Every structure is written in structure tokens, then in C-alpha cells.
Amino acid sequence: MKLVKSLALAAVAVSLLPTATAGAAEFYAGKKITCVVPYSPGGGTDSFFRVVVPHLARLIPGKPDVIINNMSGAGGLKANNYASNEMPNNGSEMLCAPWLSIAQLTKRKGVRFDYSKMRVVGGESAINTAIINKDVLVGGDRTTIGKGKQPLVVAGLSPSSTLDLRQRLGLDVLGVKYKYVPGYRGSAKQIPAFLSGEVSLLGLNYGTYVSVMKSPLVDQGPGMLWVDYPNIGADGGASANAVLKNQGVPALDEVHMKMHGKPPSGQHWEAYKVLDNLSSMGLSVWLPAGTPDAAFNALKAGWEALPNDAAFKAAHEKAFGKAVNFVNYKGALTAQNAVATVKPDMVKFFQDYIAQGEK
């Protein structure tokens, strides 16, 4: 009889516990969340999250208000350092930013953040490309890059930025000479530099191209899409992106084949493969360590509801010219853990390569 009574009491106690969804809804009801973006208004990252935020606010249990705070500085390091060390862990703020995995991997000077100690919510899988000034080429032929009347100058954010590293590695894989100029605070600063002829190549993801760059730099300016930076599969093979392929934009390995008559190889190509693995999330959402489970679960539920929400899908495709391709929590966690698997010799390569970019 005592056992039966104990089981009955336990059942009552369990029935009184709120469900995870209910707890999450109660947590954010009537509250506000600040999305901290590491770059200035008007750039690609800012534009992406300004499309995401209204729909995310609607889909987070509890329907909190979500606002954006632009915290630019040090190529994104300022906001990442803030999120890892100073951001309140009560669920009131989240980092909405490019994933600076290489900066953490190499322990670059100024890096005080550690993603392994933060809580990743999810991310976005980007289509990586670049815009180039047509005058860098001869007659629009991509295999003549660097031989035209315009010098090949790469506009950079910071030497540890995955966008910058992708451009540099791609050009080094092709064996092309170029000048690298870091320090531009997002695409809002890069656009005028490109139009003035100060720089001639900008790395970006396709969503930023459609929403921010296409009109001023391609439709009205001297730019064209340069190349598709392909994803690398588990077998080490490169895979072109259909969106760019349908527009006649060749993949990096295809350009290499046309220029040199053989597939890419060597240290820069191996480093490119590692970089691709560490940039499977283009943009990402993070919470500081110690954030309550109720807050995390609510944000996770909202993020994972976005790709199936008709209103968001329509807004996303209109703004960025491509279907939604988000990274869910499981995929984001795999990406987060991938940093620890990079071999020491490749870590050293990236440390030296970033140092070269800082000179």
C-alpha cells in the first residue's frame, strides 16, 4: 500500500510539472531579446538578421520583442568577445553573427571568445561567392584574372575572417598574384571602395549579393560574379552549387582545371578543405554559457520553426534570391565541435597565413 501511495504521489507531482514548451513560452512572455550583430547597419549580416528577426520573434514561444544592436569593431571580434565574456546569460541577448571559427582555432590576437563554452542555437548554410571588377579580366575570361587593366585588390574585413581567407586561399590555389587590404567594416564600407576602384574583389555569400551588392555593383556598376567556392564532401571532392551553376558561374576547381589543365592540389587546397569544414555555418546564433534551458529551448524552437514557416520562406527568397537552407541545432553542434578536430600542422598553417595577411 505504501508503494502504491508513493507512486500515486509521484504521478501527481509529474503531472504538475510544466512541459518544456510551456516553460519556454512562460519564460519569454512579455520580454525582449537583443540580437547583437557585429557589423554596421546596411551590410550583409545586418540585412540577413533584419529579415530573420521579425519572423523569429513571432515563432519563439512567448513571442518576445526582438531588436537588433549593431556592435561593429575589430572585424567582428568586439561583438564576439562581448558575447563570450560580458553578455548577460539570462536570455535577454544573443549573438547573431558570422561564425569566426578560424579566429578561435588560431587564437588570433584580440580573440577572447571561445565558442566551445557558448550555447549554439543554429545557423545558416551560405552559398559562397565573390564579386570582381570586370576590368581585372581580359574580355570577361575568368582564366585571365589579374591580367586586365584594373589591379587585383581584395577588400577584407580581417585576416582571420572566413570570407577573407576563402578569397586569399582561392587565389593562391589558382596561383594568382593579388593585393589584400583588410580593415573594411562590412559591406557598407566595401561598396564605395569597389565603385571608386580602390578595391576590385569582394568576398560574400550569395544572399548578401542579392540583397545588398547586386544592384549597385553589378546591375549599375562594373562588377560580375567571379566564382563559386564549392563545398567539400566527406570524400574530399568538390561540389558546385546549383544556384551559381545555373547562372554560369564556375566553381573554383573548374577554373583551376581550365587554367592549369589539372585539378587543384597542394597545401592551399588542403587548407581550403579545412576552411570549408569550419565554415559550414555562414551566419549563426549563440547564447552565452549559463543561459537558462528555458531560454535556450525557446530560441531553438523558434529558429527550427523558421524553415517551415510560409511567411518567412517567402520573405527570405524575395530578399536573398534562394531557398532557406538553415543549419539546425544538431548540425550546428557538429560544426561547433569540428574546431577541436583540426590537426596541429593545419592550425600552424592558418596561424602563419593570418600573420601574413596582417603585414
Side-chain angles (χ1 to χ4, degrees):
M1 289 296 292
K2 288 183 179 180
L3 178 60
V4 172
K5 185 176 181 180
S6 297
L7 291 173
L9 289 172
V12 171
V14 170
S15 69
L16 294 176
L17 290 175
T19 64
T21 303
E26 291 170 1
F27 184 89
Y28 273 122
K31 293 184 179 179
K32 180 176 72 176
I33 308 173
T34 298
C35 170
V36 177
V37 172
Y39 302 112
S40 303
T45 301
D46 177 74
S47 297
F48 174 80
F49 282 106
R50 288 191 187 276
V51 172
V52 168
V53 155
H55 299 279
L56 182 61
R58 176 172 53 83
L59 295 172
I60 293 173
K63 295 180 170 54
D65 291 329
V66 183
I67 64 171
I68 289 179
N69 174 28
N70 296 92
M71 187 183 292
S72 61
L77 297 186
K78 180 179 178 181
N80 276 270
N81 287 337
Y82 169 77
S84 188
N85 298 284
E86 302 171 54
M87 180 178 284
N89 64 356
N90 58 7
S92 63
E93 296 186 32
M94 58 184 174
L95 177 67
C96 304
W99 179 36
L100 303 183
S101 53
I102 299 294
Q104 179 191 335
L105 174 74
T106 57
K107 297 179 174 60
R108 185 198 164 195
K109 182 180 178 182
V111 170
R112 295 187 293 106
F113 58 85
D114 184 350
Y115 292 120
S116 69
K117 297 178 180 178
M118 298 175 68
R119 305 193 70 172
V120 63
V121 175
E124 180 236 12
S125 182
I127 300 173
N128 298 301
T129 183
I131 290 178
I132 198 167
N133 188 307
K134 296 173 186 175
D135 288 337
V136 167
L137 311 175
V138 178
D141 181 355
R142 288 178 171 84
T143 64
T144 64
I145 181 170
K147 297 179 180 179
K149 60 183 179 181
Q150 178 84 5
L152 181 54
V153 183
V154 179
L157 299 167
S158 73
S160 61
S161 161
T162 52
L163 278 175
D164 293 16
L165 288 168
R166 191 175 289 110
Q167 311 316 309
R168 293 176 59 206
L169 284 172
L171 293 170
D172 286 333
V173 164
L174 296 176
V176 174
K177 293 183 179 180
Y178 61 93
K179 180 180 180 181
Y180 169 63
V181 183
Y184 290 92
R185 293 194 173 190
S187 52
K189 301 295 183 182
Q190 291 175 332
I191 290 175
F194 188 94
L195 290 173
S196 70
E198 182 180 308
V199 298
S200 53
L201 191 149
L202 305 178
L204 71 168
N205 67 59
Y206 186 77
T208 300
Y209 162 71
V210 172
S211 63
V212 179
M213 302 286 202
K214 185 176 185 294
S215 178
L217 301 191
V218 175
D219 295 342
Q220 304 171 42
M224 62 178 277
L225 283 178
W226 150 237
V227 75
D228 165 21
Y229 293 100
N231 296 125
I232 305 299
D235 61 353
S239 177
N241 187 278
V243 172
L244 293 173
K245 187 174 183 178
N246 290 339
Q247 297 182 52
V249 180
L252 179 66
D253 56 312
E254 295 171 336
V255 177
H256 187 280
M257 179 65 77
K258 289 181 180 179
M259 291 176 68
H260 303 290
K262 59 183 180 180
S265 61
Q267 191 174 37
H268 289 107
W269 181 241
E270 294 305 312
Y272 175 89
K273 293 179 181 180
V274 172
L275 179 69
D276 181 72
N277 186 44
L278 295 185
S279 56
S280 56
M281 291 190 297
L283 298 172
S284 52
V285 177
W286 302 81
L287 291 166
T291 299
D293 287 343
F296 171 79
N297 289 330
L299 289 173
K300 176 174 170 288
W303 187 263
E304 298 196 345
L306 282 168
N308 298 314
D309 182 78
F312 174 69
K313 288 196 293 184
H316 184 281
E317 292 189 29
K318 180 180 179 181
F320 306 118
K322 64 185 182 74
V324 178
N325 189 14
F326 275 16
V327 179
N328 62 19
Y329 170 68
K330 183 177 179 180
L333 192 62
T334 299
Q336 179 185 21
N337 293 334
V339 177
T341 67
V342 180
K343 296 180 179 179
D345 61 334
M346 189 55 69
V347 174
K348 180 66 166 54
F349 170 86
F350 277 108
Q351 288 173 333
D352 293 343
Y353 199 63
I354 289 170
Q356 291 171 15
E358 291 174 336
K359 292 180 180 179

